[in-house]
Amino acid sequence: MRIPTLIRSSTALFALVPALGLTLSFYFFSTHDQVAYWPYPYAPALVQRSIEQVYALSYALVSAAAAWQGARFKESRVRELAPYRRGWAVVTRTLAPVVAVGWLVLLVPVVLAFAERPTWPTPDSLPPLLLGLVLCAAHGVIGFTVGQWLKPALAVPVMACAVFLLVSYPHALEPFYLRHMSGEYFAHIGFAETATAASMAGHLLPTLGLAVAVCLLGVRGHVLLRAALAVTVCAGATFASYSIVKDWNYNPSVHVRAVETRCTGSAPEVCLPVSAGKDAESISGEVDRTFAVLKKYQVVDEPPKRVEEALNYGRFTPDDTKESAYLLLSTAHREHRVSADIISTYVTFPCEAPQPTLRRAVLLWLEGKTGTMSGYEQIAAGDPFYTRAQHREVLKGVAQVAGKSTAEQVAWYRTITRSACEAST
């Protein structure tokens, strides 16, 4: 059969339009925010986050369409009409358009993500995509086999619903190992993180084992021997997957520190990802100015020797020490609050819950010294009880303090930090 004829006669042609429509809906109404989240384009995150919500959709579409093809294959008695042709070759040609639609569901979001955040794919960005491509083919085999056992009117909805639920729901359930075996790599890969081979194997083995098992049931040979071998392969693959992921929590296994960094300056030395580019100089300068202000007014005795971009550590940021600080510098720079973040991190009070208005007075006083004072709207966005009248009163008090000598301002800082705690009791 020629390729155009094969496509026209395949269920894939009818599934193509709704598949693309759902894929684009997922991307623009949900995935788009994930793709635009990081300050700099990062290929592994662009790939994984663009497809994490369409794994289940692609598998379900392929399974349902393959089930229909399997039922048609059985009813048309293709094996009897073309006994001289190898069965696996006929099945492969039948499934190829169906699997291609599933691949398209995975590839379209990736292409859109790289078009929106221009960068080049890297080898370590591809495993989550390759996982989806392989499992699409596996689900095609499983769906085709089920279609030969059930009537089309039953096989199609059963496969579509069962696959979608079994793939998409485990990431919201406990025990945690279920989400690492479902075939949906819902890992929220972060900046400087990449997928591990173990995490890929955990998702791949159960479905691939089942696909191999149903293939074994279809080959020639002793029925009991084939059945025993199929059960062994399926159970063995599932157990191997469970052995890999059984001790994981909701986080999958990931590699961290996957980005190249560059450090500039001294006291503190500021380390940023190379992708920061021209932003690095601006960020480094703002860090230096902010710590100079904090030291001048005795908020800190000495700045840390090294300030690192926390994104470089993915989701496993180390704790700050006297020697090193880990801050979300790139994200803060995009939102024009590098100084504000450093100040809020290093200004400490002798209690856990200082009086909010007095605390804001301290922060605004120091922000004013760095020339980056937060506006009312930015503060009120996180506190609906903060009024414009309060803000004007705070600014008035801060202006009065800022006009005093350095020694008087230091004394005021020490007094107000104690007062903020006394007022909160």
Side-chain angles (χ1 to χ4, degrees), residues 360-377:
R360 289 192 193 99
V362 174
L363 299 181
L364 288 172
W365 164 64
L366 289 169
E367 287 177 24
K369 297 298 181 180
T370 63
T372 57
M373 186 177 290
S374 302
Y376 165 76
E377 290 76 12

Side-chain angles (χ1 to χ4, degrees), residues 42-67:
Y42 179 60
L46 290 180
V47 172
Q48 190 275 321
R49 294 210 171 192
S50 64
I51 63 175
E52 65 183 8
Q53 296 192 31
V54 295
Y55 280 116
L57 173 63
S58 63
Y59 301 159
L61 281 171
V62 169
S63 296

Side-chain angles (χ1 to χ4, degrees), residues 65-287:
W68 183 269
Q69 291 294 107
R72 290 177 59 193
F73 185 86
K74 181 180 180 180
E75 292 175 354
S76 62
R77 299 182 178 180
V78 173
R79 293 183 189 276
E80 298 176 16
L81 295 174
Y84 59 89
R85 299 183 64 184
R86 294 184 178 181
W88 65 265
V90 177
V91 172
T92 300
R93 287 175 63 87
T94 303
L95 286 179
V98 171
V99 174
V101 171
W103 286 5
L104 199 61
V105 170
L106 295 169
L107 290 170
V108 167
V110 174
V111 172
L112 290 174
F114 278 92
E116 185 174 353
R117 304 295 303 277
T119 188
W120 290 104
T122 57
D124 56 11
S125 70
L126 297 179
L129 177 60
L130 296 177
L131 169 72
L133 299 181
V134 171
L135 290 188
C136 270
H139 278 287
V141 171
I142 297 167
F144 186 86
T145 304
V146 172
Q148 296 186 73
W149 295 340
L150 302 176
K151 293 292 184 181
L154 181 61
V156 172
V158 165
M159 292 306 297
C161 295
V163 170
F164 188 86
L165 294 176
L166 289 173
V167 172
S168 62
Y169 266 58
H171 80 268
L173 301 174
E174 292 187 23
F176 291 126
Y177 63 78
L178 293 175
R179 70 184 63 195
H180 303 303
M181 299 172 64
S182 67
E184 181 180 58
Y185 189 60
F186 205 91
H188 285 312
I189 283 290
F191 199 84
E193 295 180 347
T194 57
T196 63
S199 63
M200 294 294 98
H203 284 286
L204 186 66
L205 287 173
T207 305
L208 197 60
L210 181 58
V212 172
V214 298
C215 288
L216 290 172
L217 293 175
V219 301
R220 296 177 182 177
H222 194 279
V223 175
L224 292 180
L225 180 61
R226 286 187 287 121
L229 186 57
V231 170
T232 301
V233 169
C234 186
T238 302
F239 179 76
S241 173
Y242 170 76
S243 300
I244 294 171
V245 305
K246 60 184 175 65
D247 295 325
W248 296 358
N249 57 20
Y250 52 85
N251 285 311
S253 169
V254 293
H255 289 302
V256 185
R257 298 302 301 276
V259 295
E260 183 182 356
T261 60
R262 182 176 298 147
C263 299
T264 58
S266 60
E269 180 183 42
V270 181
C271 298
L272 294 161
V274 170
S275 53
K278 61 182 180 181
D279 291 342
E281 184 177 351
S282 175
I283 294 172
S284 181
E286 194 165 356
V287 170

